[in-house]
PDB file of all heavy atoms in Angstrom:
ATOM      1  N   ARG A 345     -23.661 -16.395 -11.292  1.00 86.00           N
ATOM      2  CA  ARG A 345     -22.480 -16.361 -10.417  1.00 86.00           C
ATOM      3  C   ARG A 345     -22.202 -14.948  -9.924  1.00 86.00           C
ATOM      4  O   ARG A 345     -22.436 -13.954 -10.680  1.00 86.00           O
ATOM      5  CB  ARG A 345     -21.221 -16.877 -11.150  1.00 86.00           C
ATOM      6  CG  ARG A 345     -21.276 -18.291 -11.609  1.00 86.00           C
ATOM      7  CD  ARG A 345     -20.011 -18.698 -12.362  1.00 86.00           C
ATOM      8  NE  ARG A 345     -18.818 -18.663 -11.509  1.00 86.00           N
ATOM      9  CZ  ARG A 345     -17.599 -18.902 -11.970  1.00 86.00           C
ATOM     10  NH1 ARG A 345     -17.422 -19.176 -13.248  1.00 86.00           N
ATOM     11  NH2 ARG A 345     -16.568 -18.858 -11.143  1.00 86.00           N
ATOM     12  N   PRO A 346     -21.695 -14.761  -8.720  1.00 88.00           N
ATOM     13  CA  PRO A 346     -21.313 -13.448  -8.246  1.00 88.00           C
ATOM     14  C   PRO A 346     -20.222 -12.813  -9.106  1.00 88.00           C
ATOM     15  O   PRO A 346     -19.302 -13.526  -9.536  1.00 88.00           O
ATOM     16  CB  PRO A 346     -20.815 -13.675  -6.807  1.00 88.00           C
ATOM     17  CG  PRO A 346     -21.369 -14.998  -6.419  1.00 88.00           C
ATOM     18  CD  PRO A 346     -21.504 -15.793  -7.676  1.00 88.00           C
ATOM     19  N   ILE A 347     -20.337 -11.548  -9.384  1.00 90.00           N
ATOM     20  CA  ILE A 347     -19.348 -10.870 -10.219  1.00 90.00           C
ATOM     21  C   ILE A 347     -17.950 -10.955  -9.641  1.00 90.00           C
ATOM     22  O   ILE A 347     -16.963 -11.205 -10.332  1.00 90.00           O
ATOM     23  CB  ILE A 347     -19.719  -9.390 -10.456  1.00 90.00           C
ATOM     24  CG1 ILE A 347     -21.162  -9.234 -10.806  1.00 90.00           C
ATOM     25  CG2 ILE A 347     -18.821  -8.765 -11.507  1.00 90.00           C
ATOM     26  CD1 ILE A 347     -21.682  -7.830 -10.641  1.00 90.00           C
ATOM     27  N   SER A 348     -17.858 -10.800  -8.325  1.00 88.00           N
ATOM     28  CA  SER A 348     -16.563 -10.851  -7.630  1.00 88.00           C
ATOM     29  C   SER A 348     -15.883 -12.221  -7.818  1.00 88.00           C
ATOM     30  O   SER A 348     -14.680 -12.316  -7.996  1.00 88.00           O
ATOM     31  CB  SER A 348     -16.705 -10.527  -6.159  1.00 88.00           C
ATOM     32  OG  SER A 348     -17.652 -11.381  -5.543  1.00 88.00           O
ATOM     33  N   GLU A 349     -16.711 -13.256  -7.804  1.00 89.00           N
ATOM     34  CA  GLU A 349     -16.193 -14.607  -7.995  1.00 89.00           C
ATOM     35  C   GLU A 349     -15.673 -14.802  -9.418  1.00 89.00           C
ATOM     36  O   GLU A 349     -14.632 -15.392  -9.646  1.00 89.00           O
ATOM     37  CB  GLU A 349     -17.280 -15.624  -7.678  1.00 89.00           C
ATOM     38  CG  GLU A 349     -16.866 -17.060  -7.877  1.00 89.00           C
ATOM     39  CD  GLU A 349     -18.019 -18.044  -7.673  1.00 89.00           C
ATOM     40  OE1 GLU A 349     -18.656 -17.991  -6.608  1.00 89.00           O
ATOM     41  OE2 GLU A 349     -18.317 -18.798  -8.633  1.00 89.00           O
ATOM     42  N   ILE A 350     -16.441 -14.300 -10.368  1.00 92.00           N
ATOM     43  CA  ILE A 350     -16.060 -14.411 -11.809  1.00 92.00           C
ATOM     44  C   ILE A 350     -14.777 -13.677 -12.041  1.00 92.00           C
ATOM     45  O   ILE A 350     -13.816 -14.180 -12.664  1.00 92.00           O
ATOM     46  CB  ILE A 350     -17.145 -13.841 -12.715  1.00 92.00           C
ATOM     47  CG1 ILE A 350     -18.422 -14.682 -12.588  1.00 92.00           C
ATOM     48  CG2 ILE A 350     -16.662 -13.798 -14.171  1.00 92.00           C
ATOM     49  CD1 ILE A 350     -19.634 -14.061 -13.323  1.00 92.00           C
ATOM     50  N   LEU A 351     -14.643 -12.419 -11.523  1.00 93.00           N
ATOM     51  CA  LEU A 351     -13.459 -11.623 -11.712  1.00 93.00           C
ATOM     52  C   LEU A 351     -12.231 -12.278 -11.136  1.00 93.00           C
ATOM     53  O   LEU A 351     -11.197 -12.414 -11.803  1.00 93.00           O
ATOM     54  CB  LEU A 351     -13.665 -10.217 -11.072  1.00 93.00           C
ATOM     55  CG  LEU A 351     -12.454  -9.269 -11.166  1.00 93.00           C
ATOM     56  CD1 LEU A 351     -12.071  -8.979 -12.626  1.00 93.00           C
ATOM     57  CD2 LEU A 351     -12.748  -7.962 -10.425  1.00 93.00           C
ATOM     58  N   ALA A 352     -12.310 -12.754  -9.871  1.00 91.00           N
ATOM     59  CA  ALA A 352     -11.167 -13.377  -9.236  1.00 91.00           C
ATOM     60  C   ALA A 352     -10.732 -14.628  -9.980  1.00 91.00           C
ATOM     61  O   ALA A 352      -9.534 -14.869 -10.193  1.00 91.00           O
ATOM     62  CB  ALA A 352     -11.511 -13.724  -7.792  1.00 91.00           C
ATOM     63  N   ALA A 353     -11.716 -15.386 -10.418  1.00 92.00           N
ATOM     64  CA  ALA A 353     -11.408 -16.677 -11.066  1.00 92.00           C
ATOM     65  C   ALA A 353     -10.769 -16.467 -12.457  1.00 92.00           C
ATOM     66  O   ALA A 353      -9.780 -17.119 -12.805  1.00 92.00           O
ATOM     67  CB  ALA A 353     -12.661 -17.503 -11.224  1.00 92.00           C
ATOM     68  N   ILE A 354     -11.309 -15.542 -13.237  1.00 93.00           N
ATOM     69  CA  ILE A 354     -10.760 -15.388 -14.585  1.00 93.00           C
ATOM     70  C   ILE A 354      -9.404 -14.727 -14.578  1.00 93.00           C
ATOM     71  O   ILE A 354      -8.532 -15.052 -15.418  1.00 93.00           O
ATOM     72  CB  ILE A 354     -11.730 -14.607 -15.500  1.00 93.00           C
ATOM     73  CG1 ILE A 354     -11.393 -14.884 -16.983  1.00 93.00           C
ATOM     74  CG2 ILE A 354     -11.721 -13.113 -15.207  1.00 93.00           C
ATOM     75  CD1 ILE A 354     -12.471 -14.517 -17.937  1.00 93.00           C
ATOM     76  N   LEU A 355      -9.146 -13.798 -13.635  1.00 94.00           N
ATOM     77  CA  LEU A 355      -7.806 -13.237 -13.509  1.00 94.00           C
ATOM     78  C   LEU A 355      -6.791 -14.306 -13.102  1.00 94.00           C
ATOM     79  O   LEU A 355      -5.604 -14.235 -13.504  1.00 94.00           O
ATOM     80  CB  LEU A 355      -7.802 -12.110 -12.507  1.00 94.00           C
ATOM     81  CG  LEU A 355      -8.517 -10.824 -12.915  1.00 94.00           C
ATOM     82  CD1 LEU A 355      -8.531  -9.836 -11.781  1.00 94.00           C
ATOM     83  CD2 LEU A 355      -7.913 -10.232 -14.165  1.00 94.00           C
ATOM     84  N   ASN A 356      -7.229 -15.286 -12.328  1.00 92.00           N
ATOM     85  CA  ASN A 356      -6.340 -16.357 -11.906  1.00 92.00           C
ATOM     86  C   ASN A 356      -6.167 -17.372 -13.013  1.00 92.00           C
ATOM     87  O   ASN A 356      -5.019 -17.688 -13.395  1.00 92.00           O
ATOM     88  CB  ASN A 356      -6.924 -17.029 -10.667  1.00 92.00           C
ATOM     89  CG  ASN A 356      -6.088 -18.200 -10.202  1.00 92.00           C
ATOM     90  OD1 ASN A 356      -4.867 -18.087 -10.138  1.00 92.00           O
ATOM     91  ND2 ASN A 356      -6.732 -19.325  -9.963  1.00 92.00           N
ATOM     92  N   GLU A 357      -7.253 -17.873 -13.575  1.00 93.00           N
ATOM     93  CA  GLU A 357      -7.157 -18.950 -14.569  1.00 93.00           C
ATOM     94  C   GLU A 357      -6.608 -18.484 -15.920  1.00 93.00           C
ATOM     95  O   GLU A 357      -6.064 -19.299 -16.664  1.00 93.00           O
ATOM     96  CB  GLU A 357      -8.552 -19.602 -14.768  1.00 93.00           C
ATOM     97  CG  GLU A 357      -9.041 -20.285 -13.516  1.00 93.00           C
ATOM     98  CD  GLU A 357     -10.403 -20.939 -13.697  1.00 93.00           C
ATOM     99  OE1 GLU A 357     -10.695 -21.351 -14.826  1.00 93.00           O
ATOM    100  OE2 GLU A 357     -11.179 -21.007 -12.707  1.00 93.00           O
ATOM    101  N   SER A 358      -6.704 -17.198 -16.236  1.00 93.00           N
ATOM    102  CA  SER A 358      -6.150 -16.685 -17.479  1.00 93.00           C
ATOM    103  C   SER A 358      -4.638 -16.545 -17.353  1.00 93.00           C
ATOM    104  O   SER A 358      -3.958 -16.433 -18.390  1.00 93.00           O
ATOM    105  CB  SER A 358      -6.765 -15.358 -17.814  1.00 93.00           C
ATOM    106  OG  SER A 358      -6.402 -14.391 -16.860  1.00 93.00           O
ATOM    107  N   GLY A 359      -4.115 -16.531 -16.128  1.00 93.00           N
ATOM    108  CA  GLY A 359      -2.696 -16.327 -15.962  1.00 93.00           C
ATOM    109  C   GLY A 359      -2.326 -14.858 -15.829  1.00 93.00           C
ATOM    110  O   GLY A 359      -1.163 -14.488 -15.796  1.00 93.00           O
ATOM    111  N   TYR A 360      -3.348 -13.984 -15.835  1.00 94.00           N
ATOM    112  CA  TYR A 360      -3.081 -12.519 -15.840  1.00 94.00           C
ATOM    113  C   TYR A 360      -2.403 -12.075 -14.589  1.00 94.00           C
ATOM    114  O   TYR A 360      -1.347 -11.343 -14.631  1.00 94.00           O
ATOM    115  CB  TYR A 360      -4.360 -11.742 -16.054  1.00 94.00           C
ATOM    116  CG  TYR A 360      -4.125 -10.285 -16.310  1.00 94.00           C
ATOM    117  CD1 TYR A 360      -3.775  -9.822 -17.550  1.00 94.00           C
ATOM    118  CD2 TYR A 360      -4.172  -9.364 -15.264  1.00 94.00           C
ATOM    119  CE1 TYR A 360      -3.537  -8.460 -17.795  1.00 94.00           C
ATOM    120  CE2 TYR A 360      -3.907  -8.011 -15.450  1.00 94.00           C
ATOM    121  CZ  TYR A 360      -3.591  -7.561 -16.735  1.00 94.00           C
ATOM    122  OH  TYR A 360      -3.325  -6.235 -16.961  1.00 94.00           O
ATOM    123  N   GLU A 361      -2.910 -12.512 -13.401  1.00 92.00           N
ATOM    124  CA  GLU A 361      -2.285 -12.090 -12.170  1.00 92.00           C
ATOM    125  C   GLU A 361      -0.889 -12.708 -11.994  1.00 92.00           C
ATOM    126  O   GLU A 361       0.017 -12.060 -11.496  1.00 92.00           O
ATOM    127  CB  GLU A 361      -3.152 -12.443 -10.942  1.00 92.00           C
ATOM    128  CG  GLU A 361      -4.365 -11.548 -10.786  1.00 92.00           C
ATOM    129  CD  GLU A 361      -5.107 -11.761  -9.497  1.00 92.00           C
ATOM    130  OE1 GLU A 361      -5.296 -12.953  -9.130  1.00 92.00           O
ATOM    131  OE2 GLU A 361      -5.506 -10.774  -8.881  1.00 92.00           O
ATOM    132  N   ALA A 362      -0.716 -13.925 -12.495  1.00 90.00           N
ATOM    133  CA  ALA A 362       0.584 -14.576 -12.434  1.00 90.00           C
ATOM    134  C   ALA A 362       1.568 -13.798 -13.278  1.00 90.00           C
ATOM    135  O   ALA A 362       2.742 -13.659 -12.887  1.00 90.00           O
ATOM    136  CB  ALA A 362       0.475 -16.005 -12.905  1.00 90.00           C
ATOM    137  N   MET A 363       1.123 -13.254 -14.406  1.00 90.00           N
ATOM    138  CA  MET A 363       1.993 -12.439 -15.257  1.00 90.00           C
ATOM    139  C   MET A 363       2.458 -11.214 -14.498  1.00 90.00           C
ATOM    140  O   MET A 363       3.656 -10.869 -14.546  1.00 90.00           O
ATOM    141  CB  MET A 363       1.236 -12.053 -16.533  1.00 90.00           C
ATOM    142  CG  MET A 363       1.962 -11.080 -17.428  1.00 90.00           C
ATOM    143  SD  MET A 363       0.916 -10.398 -18.760  1.00 90.00           S
ATOM    144  CE  MET A 363      -0.059  -9.227 -17.791  1.00 90.00           C
ATOM    145  N   LEU A 364       1.555 -10.540 -13.820  1.00 89.00           N
ATOM    146  CA  LEU A 364       1.940  -9.345 -13.049  1.00 89.00           C
ATOM    147  C   LEU A 364       2.897  -9.673 -11.932  1.00 89.00           C
ATOM    148  O   LEU A 364       3.834  -8.913 -11.653  1.00 89.00           O
ATOM    149  CB  LEU A 364       0.704  -8.637 -12.528  1.00 89.00           C
ATOM    150  CG  LEU A 364      -0.286  -8.063 -13.540  1.00 89.00           C
ATOM    151  CD1 LEU A 364      -1.401  -7.302 -12.832  1.00 89.00           C
ATOM    152  CD2 LEU A 364       0.447  -7.118 -14.514  1.00 89.00           C
ATOM    153  N   ARG A 365       2.651 -10.828 -11.246  1.00 85.00           N
ATOM    154  CA  ARG A 365       3.562 -11.204 -10.194  1.00 85.00           C
ATOM    155  C   ARG A 365       4.958 -11.507 -10.728  1.00 85.00           C
ATOM    156  O   ARG A 365       5.963 -11.153 -10.093  1.00 85.00           O
ATOM    157  CB  ARG A 365       2.974 -12.427  -9.457  1.00 85.00           C
ATOM    158  CG  ARG A 365       1.900 -12.101  -8.458  1.00 85.00           C
ATOM    159  CD  ARG A 365       1.564 -13.264  -7.567  1.00 85.00           C
ATOM    160  NE  ARG A 365       0.917 -14.348  -8.291  1.00 85.00           N
ATOM    161  CZ  ARG A 365      -0.395 -14.456  -8.447  1.00 85.00           C
ATOM    162  NH1 ARG A 365      -1.191 -13.522  -7.899  1.00 85.00           N
ATOM    163  NH2 ARG A 365      -0.890 -15.457  -9.101  1.00 85.00           N
ATOM    164  N   THR A 366       5.022 -12.131 -11.885  1.00 82.00           N
ATOM    165  CA  THR A 366       6.308 -12.426 -12.511  1.00 82.00           C
ATOM    166  C   THR A 366       7.056 -11.129 -12.855  1.00 82.00           C
ATOM    167  O   THR A 366       8.262 -11.053 -12.742  1.00 82.00           O
ATOM    168  CB  THR A 366       6.157 -13.270 -13.758  1.00 82.00           C
ATOM    169  OG1 THR A 366       5.471 -14.492 -13.420  1.00 82.00           O
ATOM    170  CG2 THR A 366       7.470 -13.568 -14.436  1.00 82.00           C
ATOM    171  N   GLU A 367       6.293 -10.120 -13.289  1.00 79.00           N
ATOM    172  CA  GLU A 367       6.903  -8.845 -13.653  1.00 79.00           C
ATOM    173  C   GLU A 367       7.275  -8.015 -12.418  1.00 79.00           C
ATOM    174  O   GLU A 367       7.929  -7.027 -12.506  1.00 79.00           O
ATOM    175  CB  GLU A 367       5.937  -8.003 -14.520  1.00 79.00           C
ATOM    176  CG  GLU A 367       5.679  -8.614 -15.877  1.00 79.00           C
ATOM    177  CD  GLU A 367       4.593  -7.901 -16.631  1.00 79.00           C
ATOM    178  OE1 GLU A 367       3.966  -6.988 -16.044  1.00 79.00           O
ATOM    179  OE2 GLU A 367       4.353  -8.210 -17.816  1.00 79.00           O
ATOM    180  N   GLY A 368       6.784  -8.467 -11.208  1.00 75.00           N
ATOM    181  CA  GLY A 368       7.022  -7.699 -10.008  1.00 75.00           C
ATOM    182  C   GLY A 368       6.222  -6.418  -9.918  1.00 75.00           C
ATOM    183  O   GLY A 368       6.608  -5.462  -9.300  1.00 75.00           O
TER     184      GLY A 368
END
Side-chain angles (χ1 to χ4, degrees):
R345 296 179 66 184
I347 312 164
S348 54
E349 178 186 304
I350 295 172
L351 177 61
I354 200 164
L355 289 176
N356 178 47
E357 295 181 31
S358 65
Y360 188 83
E361 284 189 318
M363 175 190 74
L364 294 184
R365 281 192 290 271
T366 301
E367 293 173 355

